[in-house]
């Protein structure tokens, strides 16, 4: 008797281009939720009555929830049909986002953000599998990484565009409500197009590795807390910081020990035996440190140039266009068999050009239009770097470790992101203090130039009708504001200069590093 053909995943009457468009539409919201209000931290902090560090911690909590649950999802998702599982995940995510727009207690928002990341993972993982199923086998891995990492890269500018557009007119809860309007139509369309089929073999309940999820979550939460509050707590001078460090050490150590001794580990640590994988992870960490200048540039635009919502949206749109162009172009070169090392070098050269260009443009009286091309170049550079970097990292792994390698790579991406925030929080007050010390030396009684400057400001204010005492206070306030602007400007220059030197050093390493120099790895040469 002839075996029946398996039921297709999607309705047979749906065109292929519609399926791919709906898949991307449904995949984008979980990424967008990560950086939903990252570009408007001051507004969110003001609404909830908290500090910007608290807002940063809430963003990292979402990321930690997504990363920690990523290896767990394939097991949990095997108990339901794909359409039912996605429907349940969408309902949960919509509920959590709706609650986030309703609560006013920031502590509840932190819990909701971690749960949002966990539930978002249950949408991302099956959708990536569906995307791979729609592509030709020789192209699936390259296209899949392009979509996955391209979506992650696009989440930051998209979130900034959305938050600045909404918060310019409405309070913070409206941001979550608008997000729901973007999520629900794509999710409903996807559920309508899917057939009720099972895509995964049901796994026994004994294989659900809850302890590893708890340990990994604890370690990631401790890291997120240190990155957000470490500088405020003067790092290890605070007992709370020591407690967070202990959580990272004990949780991470116990997690690693458990993986080595489990028959079916949560993340197979055998991936770290492969040298190209370790090199790729190191490059991921360095790359995300370089990506930290995105926040520095945003601080310059808001703190020095005082951009409005329309101007910030325009800048982020330029970055988003660059990302789309970069990912679209580089994946074509990958499929043509261009050596990955060559693509990485080109990408980092573009990133270096962006940083040097921005360094030369920084100034208090610049027009915003001159930054559109550098921001587009920045998006183009990160798009060109990330896809070949992911393929190089995963290309040396055997097929049976490919899934574990993906989980580990996402976890290290999180570590790179958290590490860049920690470095920024350390360098900013250090450089700010050094700059203030230099200015303070000019404010001694013998510094007649500063006294003349204050006197000139005072006379200008008096000429506008202000009383003597009011003009004196106004002149002092204006001088302090000028000092703050100059301090921020110097910080931006220092950071971009440091990163430019770091990229130059990395380019030298890329040209001589043995795993990259001796092996001209291409998409066609290795089974990806």
């Amino acid at each position: 008797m002839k075996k029946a053909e398996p039921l297709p995943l999607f309705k047979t009457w749906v065109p292929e281009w519609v399926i791919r468009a709906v898949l991307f539409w449904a995949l984008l919201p979980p990424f967008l939720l990560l950086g939903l209000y990252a570009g408007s931290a001051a507004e969110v902090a003001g609404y909830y009555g908290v500090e910007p560090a608290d807002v940063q911690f809430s963003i990292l909590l979402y990321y930690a929830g997504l990363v920690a649950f990523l290896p767990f999802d394939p097991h949990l998702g095997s108990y339901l049909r794909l359409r039912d599982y996605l429907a349940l995940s969408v309902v949960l995510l919509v509920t959590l986002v709706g609650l986030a727009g309703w609560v006013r207690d920031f502590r509840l928002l932190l819990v909701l953000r971690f749960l949002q990341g966990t539930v978002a993972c249950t949408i991302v993982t099956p959708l990536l599998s569906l995307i791979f199923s729609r592509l030709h086998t020789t192209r699936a891995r390259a296209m899949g990484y392009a979509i996955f990492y391209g979506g992650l890269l696009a989440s930051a500018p998209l979130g900034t565009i959305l938050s600045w557009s909404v918060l310019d007119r409405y309070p913070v809860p409206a941001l979550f409500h608008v997000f729901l309007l973007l999520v629900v139509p794509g999710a409903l369309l996807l559920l309508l197009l899917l057939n009720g089929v099972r895509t995964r073999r049901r796994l026994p309940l004994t294989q659900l590795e809850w302890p590893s999820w708890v340990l990994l979550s604890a370690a990631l939460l401790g890291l997120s807390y240190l990155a957000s509050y470490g500088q405020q707590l003067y790092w290890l001078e605070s007992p709370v910081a020591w407690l967070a460090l202990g959580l990272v050490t004990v949780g991470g150590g116990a997690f690693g020990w458990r993986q080595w001794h489990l028959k079916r580990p949560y993340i197979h640590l055998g991936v770290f035996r492969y040298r190209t994988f370790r090199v790729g992870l190191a490059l991921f960490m360095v790359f995300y440190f370089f990506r930290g200048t995105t926040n520095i540039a945003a601080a310059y635009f808001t703190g020095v140039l005082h951009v409005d919502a329309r101007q910030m949206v325009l800048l982020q749109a330029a970055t988003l266009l660059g990302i789309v162009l970069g990912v679209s172009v580089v994946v074509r070169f990958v499929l043509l068999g261009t050596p990955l090392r060559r693509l990485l070098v080109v990408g980092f050269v573009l990133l270096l050009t962006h940083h040097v260009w921005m360094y030369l443009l920084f100034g208090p009286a610049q027009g915003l239009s001159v930054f559109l091309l550098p921001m587009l170049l920045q998006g183009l550079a990160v798009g060109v770097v990330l896809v070949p970097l992911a393929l190089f990292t995963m290309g040396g792994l055997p097929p049976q470790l490919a899934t574990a390698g993906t989980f580990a790579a996402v976890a290290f991406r999180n570590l790179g992101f958290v590490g860049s925030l920690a470095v920024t929080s350390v360098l900013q007050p250090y450089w700010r203090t050094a700059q203030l010390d230099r200015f303070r030396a000019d404010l001694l009684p013998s510094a007649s130039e500063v006294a003349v400057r204050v006197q000139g400001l005072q006379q200008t204010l008096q000429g506008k009708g202000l009383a003597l005492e009011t003009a004196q206070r106004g002149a002092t306030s204006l001088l302090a504001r000028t000092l703050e602007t100059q301090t921020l400007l110097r910080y931006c220059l220092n950071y971009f200069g440091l990163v430019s030197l770091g990229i130059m050093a990395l380019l030298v390493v890329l040209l001589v590093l043995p795993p990259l120099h001796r092996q001209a790895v291409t998409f066609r040469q290795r089974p990806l």
Side-chain angles (χ1 to χ4, degrees), residues 425-442:
S425 67
V426 170
L427 292 180
Q428 182 173 5
Y430 172 77
W431 279 331
R432 184 178 186 277
T433 301
Q435 185 70 7
L436 287 174
D437 288 341
R438 283 195 292 269
F439 277 112
R440 195 174 292 115
D442 293 334

mmCIF file of all heavy atoms in Angstrom, residues 425-442:
data_model
loop_
_atom_site.group_PDB
_atom_site.id
_atom_site.type_symbol
_atom_site.label_atom_id
_atom_site.label_comp_id
_atom_site.label_asym_id
_atom_site.label_seq_id
_atom_site.Cartn_x
_atom_site.Cartn_y
_atom_site.Cartn_z
ATOM 1 N N SER A 425 29.417 52.121 30.215
ATOM 2 C CA SER A 425 29.104 52.692 31.523
ATOM 3 C C SER A 425 30.354 52.991 32.336
ATOM 4 O O SER A 425 30.330 53.853 33.224
ATOM 5 C CB SER A 425 28.197 51.732 32.308
ATOM 6 O OG SER A 425 28.879 50.534 32.638
ATOM 7 N N VAL A 426 31.457 52.299 32.037
ATOM 8 C CA VAL A 426 32.716 52.571 32.741
ATOM 9 C C VAL A 426 33.440 53.767 32.114
ATOM 10 O O VAL A 426 33.914 54.666 32.822
ATOM 11 C CB VAL A 426 33.632 51.327 32.710
ATOM 12 C CG1 VAL A 426 35.026 51.668 33.228
ATOM 13 C CG2 VAL A 426 33.029 50.217 33.549
ATOM 14 N N LEU A 427 33.527 53.782 30.792
ATOM 15 C CA LEU A 427 34.308 54.815 30.124
ATOM 16 C C LEU A 427 33.642 56.191 30.179
ATOM 17 O O LEU A 427 34.335 57.204 30.283
ATOM 18 C CB LEU A 427 34.548 54.428 28.668
ATOM 19 C CG LEU A 427 35.462 53.222 28.420
ATOM 20 C CD1 LEU A 427 35.603 52.953 26.934
ATOM 21 C CD2 LEU A 427 36.830 53.455 29.048
ATOM 22 N N GLN A 428 32.311 56.237 30.121
ATOM 23 C CA GLN A 428 31.637 57.529 30.085
ATOM 24 C C GLN A 428 31.929 58.373 31.324
ATOM 25 O O GLN A 428 32.360 59.520 31.208
ATOM 26 C CB GLN A 428 30.134 57.353 29.896
ATOM 27 C CG GLN A 428 29.398 58.684 29.796
ATOM 28 C CD GLN A 428 27.932 58.512 29.446
ATOM 29 O OE1 GLN A 428 27.436 57.394 29.368
ATOM 30 N NE2 GLN A 428 27.230 59.601 29.246
ATOM 31 N N PRO A 429 31.714 57.855 32.558
ATOM 32 C CA PRO A 429 32.037 58.701 33.725
ATOM 33 C C PRO A 429 33.527 58.982 33.866
ATOM 34 O O PRO A 429 33.917 60.049 34.354
ATOM 35 C CB PRO A 429 31.510 57.883 34.909
ATOM 36 C CG PRO A 429 31.397 56.491 34.415
ATOM 37 C CD PRO A 429 31.096 56.589 32.952
ATOM 38 N N TYR A 430 34.377 58.022 33.425
ATOM 39 C CA TYR A 430 35.822 58.245 33.530
ATOM 40 C C TYR A 430 36.242 59.417 32.654
ATOM 41 O O TYR A 430 36.931 60.352 33.100
ATOM 42 C CB TYR A 430 36.567 56.981 33.135
ATOM 43 C CG TYR A 430 38.060 57.176 33.019
ATOM 44 C CD1 TYR A 430 38.863 57.259 34.160
ATOM 45 C CD2 TYR A 430 38.673 57.299 31.770
ATOM 46 C CE1 TYR A 430 40.233 57.448 34.056
ATOM 47 C CE2 TYR A 430 40.039 57.491 31.659
ATOM 48 C CZ TYR A 430 40.816 57.560 32.802
ATOM 49 O OH TYR A 430 42.166 57.759 32.698
ATOM 50 N N TRP A 431 35.835 59.392 31.377
ATOM 51 C CA TRP A 431 36.200 60.475 30.459
ATOM 52 C C TRP A 431 35.498 61.772 30.847
ATOM 53 O O TRP A 431 36.035 62.857 30.669
ATOM 54 C CB TRP A 431 35.864 60.077 29.032
ATOM 55 C CG TRP A 431 36.910 59.188 28.415
ATOM 56 C CD1 TRP A 431 38.238 59.167 28.710
ATOM 57 C CD2 TRP A 431 36.715 58.202 27.399
ATOM 58 N NE1 TRP A 431 38.891 58.233 27.943
ATOM 59 C CE2 TRP A 431 37.984 57.622 27.129
ATOM 60 C CE3 TRP A 431 35.607 57.749 26.696
ATOM 61 C CZ2 TRP A 431 38.156 56.630 26.191
ATOM 62 C CZ3 TRP A 431 35.785 56.757 25.745
ATOM 63 C CH2 TRP A 431 37.042 56.199 25.500
ATOM 64 N N ARG A 432 34.285 61.655 31.359
ATOM 65 C CA ARG A 432 33.560 62.861 31.774
ATOM 66 C C ARG A 432 34.279 63.541 32.939
ATOM 67 O O ARG A 432 34.444 64.764 32.961
ATOM 68 C CB ARG A 432 32.133 62.494 32.172
ATOM 69 C CG ARG A 432 31.260 63.692 32.517
ATOM 70 C CD ARG A 432 29.842 63.248 32.847
ATOM 71 N NE ARG A 432 28.967 64.399 33.043
ATOM 72 C CZ ARG A 432 28.855 65.075 34.172
ATOM 73 N NH1 ARG A 432 29.569 64.712 35.221
ATOM 74 N NH2 ARG A 432 28.054 66.116 34.273
ATOM 75 N N THR A 433 34.722 62.758 33.900
ATOM 76 C CA THR A 433 35.441 63.320 35.049
ATOM 77 C C THR A 433 36.754 63.957 34.610
ATOM 78 O O THR A 433 37.111 65.054 35.065
ATOM 79 C CB THR A 433 35.717 62.219 36.081
ATOM 80 O OG1 THR A 433 34.473 61.646 36.499
ATOM 81 C CG2 THR A 433 36.443 62.779 37.295
ATOM 82 N N ALA A 434 37.463 63.277 33.702
ATOM 83 C CA ALA A 434 38.733 63.838 33.227
ATOM 84 C C ALA A 434 38.506 65.151 32.502
ATOM 85 O O ALA A 434 39.271 66.123 32.684
ATOM 86 C CB ALA A 434 39.428 62.833 32.311
ATOM 87 N N GLN A 435 37.442 65.216 31.703
ATOM 88 C CA GLN A 435 37.146 66.453 30.980
ATOM 89 C C GLN A 435 36.744 67.569 31.936
ATOM 90 O O GLN A 435 37.165 68.726 31.784
ATOM 91 C CB GLN A 435 36.034 66.195 29.959
ATOM 92 C CG GLN A 435 35.719 67.368 29.052
ATOM 93 C CD GLN A 435 36.827 67.644 28.046
ATOM 94 O OE1 GLN A 435 37.774 66.873 27.943
ATOM 95 N NE2 GLN A 435 36.725 68.743 27.329
ATOM 96 N N LEU A 436 35.922 67.241 32.931
ATOM 97 C CA LEU A 436 35.508 68.247 33.911
ATOM 98 C C LEU A 436 36.693 68.765 34.710
ATOM 99 O O LEU A 436 36.751 69.944 35.067
ATOM 100 C CB LEU A 436 34.451 67.660 34.846
ATOM 101 C CG LEU A 436 33.050 67.467 34.243
ATOM 102 C CD1 LEU A 436 32.147 66.752 35.240
ATOM 103 C CD2 LEU A 436 32.440 68.812 33.857
ATOM 104 N N ASP A 437 37.640 67.891 35.007
ATOM 105 C CA ASP A 437 38.838 68.327 35.741
ATOM 106 C C ASP A 437 39.633 69.341 34.928
ATOM 107 O O ASP A 437 40.170 70.314 35.477
ATOM 108 C CB ASP A 437 39.712 67.120 36.082
ATOM 109 C CG ASP A 437 39.096 66.252 37.174
ATOM 110 O OD1 ASP A 437 38.206 66.765 37.892
ATOM 111 O OD2 ASP A 437 39.487 65.081 37.298
ATOM 112 N N ARG A 438 39.702 69.093 33.618
ATOM 113 C CA ARG A 438 40.430 70.042 32.770
ATOM 114 C C ARG A 438 39.716 71.394 32.723
ATOM 115 O O ARG A 438 40.346 72.450 32.793
ATOM 116 C CB ARG A 438 40.585 69.474 31.360
ATOM 117 C CG ARG A 438 41.649 68.412 31.235
ATOM 118 C CD ARG A 438 42.004 68.148 29.786
ATOM 119 N NE ARG A 438 40.906 67.525 29.067
ATOM 120 C CZ ARG A 438 40.732 66.218 28.959
ATOM 121 N NH1 ARG A 438 41.591 65.397 29.541
ATOM 122 N NH2 ARG A 438 39.718 65.733 28.270
ATOM 123 N N PHE A 439 38.387 71.346 32.621
ATOM 124 C CA PHE A 439 37.635 72.599 32.614
ATOM 125 C C PHE A 439 37.692 73.289 33.973
ATOM 126 O O PHE A 439 37.727 74.521 34.061
ATOM 127 C CB PHE A 439 36.175 72.341 32.226
ATOM 128 C CG PHE A 439 35.960 72.250 30.748
ATOM 129 C CD1 PHE A 439 35.612 71.044 30.165
ATOM 130 C CD2 PHE A 439 36.102 73.359 29.928
ATOM 131 C CE1 PHE A 439 35.412 70.953 28.797
ATOM 132 C CE2 PHE A 439 35.907 73.278 28.568
ATOM 133 C CZ PHE A 439 35.562 72.069 27.999
ATOM 134 N N ARG A 440 37.682 72.493 35.033
ATOM 135 C CA ARG A 440 37.702 73.082 36.365
ATOM 136 C C ARG A 440 38.992 73.871 36.599
ATOM 137 O O ARG A 440 39.015 74.865 37.314
ATOM 138 C CB ARG A 440 37.546 71.986 37.419
ATOM 139 C CG ARG A 440 37.196 72.513 38.798
ATOM 140 C CD ARG A 440 36.898 71.380 39.763
ATOM 141 N NE ARG A 440 35.660 70.696 39.408
ATOM 142 C CZ ARG A 440 35.593 69.443 39.020
ATOM 143 N NH1 ARG A 440 36.704 68.725 38.893
ATOM 144 N NH2 ARG A 440 34.438 68.898 38.721
ATOM 145 N N ALA A 441 40.070 73.416 35.997
ATOM 146 C CA ALA A 441 41.329 74.140 36.121
ATOM 147 C C ALA A 441 41.230 75.527 35.493
ATOM 148 O O ALA A 441 41.894 76.479 35.930
ATOM 149 C CB ALA A 441 42.460 73.351 35.471
ATOM 150 N N ASP A 442 40.350 75.653 34.489
ATOM 151 C CA ASP A 442 40.161 76.950 33.836
ATOM 152 C C ASP A 442 39.234 77.863 34.630
ATOM 153 O O ASP A 442 39.117 79.057 34.321
ATOM 154 C CB ASP A 442 39.580 76.768 32.435
ATOM 155 C CG ASP A 442 40.566 76.073 31.514
ATOM 156 O OD1 ASP A 442 41.782 76.189 31.769
ATOM 157 O OD2 ASP A 442 40.112 75.403 30.563
#
